[in-house]
Amino acid sequence: MILDSGLDGSEPPPSVATLIGTVLAPEGTIPISGALVYLTPVAPGAIPEGVYCDKCVKLDFQTPYTFTGADGGFHLGVPKTGSYQLVVQKGQFRRVRPIDVTLGN
């Protein structure tokens, strides 16, 4: 994954909400570890046809993101409330869903 390093010394803003969830395979029981989970105000572009580097997803420094654990679970701090696209991606698989974030968990 490539991230804007924030070399200007800026820190991500504090979280006002936390998304807690589990990523499972489409059949509904197998946990997916190491999946990228992030929030964005607009849906990402389509995954390109052909050769694609899933390790080269470029996210802005202030984009809230995390990776799922061995059990598929994640906790994602969100700096502000509002409407987002929740993106879950692992390899060539990507799921995007609209979500409204409110204060709290």
Side-chain angles (χ1 to χ4, degrees):
M1 156 144 11
I2 300 172
L3 297 173
D4 179 343
S5 63
L7 294 177
D8 61 359
S10 63
E11 293 291 325
S15 298
V16 298
T18 303
L19 296 179
I20 301 169
T22 304
V23 176
L24 301 172
E27 52 77 43
T29 63
I30 301 171
I32 303 298
S33 67
L36 171 63
V37 179
Y38 67 96
L39 289 176
T40 180
V42 296
I47 292 176
E49 295 287 328
V51 178
Y52 172 72
C53 175
D54 68 319
K55 305 268 189 252
C56 300
V57 174
K58 181 160 176 62
L59 298 177
D60 181 81
F61 173 69
Q62 294 194 359
T63 299
Y65 78 94
T66 191
F67 292 93
T68 58
D71 64 353
F74 68 90
H75 287 76
L76 178 59
V78 185
K80 62 183 179 176
T81 60
S83 295
Y84 292 94
Q85 299 294 314
L86 175 64
V87 182
V88 176
Q89 182 170 333
K90 175 107 184 208
Q92 292 279 73
F93 174 82
R94 180 191 290 159
R95 179 83 185 247
V96 181
R97 298 191 123 177
I99 185 171
D100 290 321
V101 176
T102 58
L103 295 177
N105 291 338

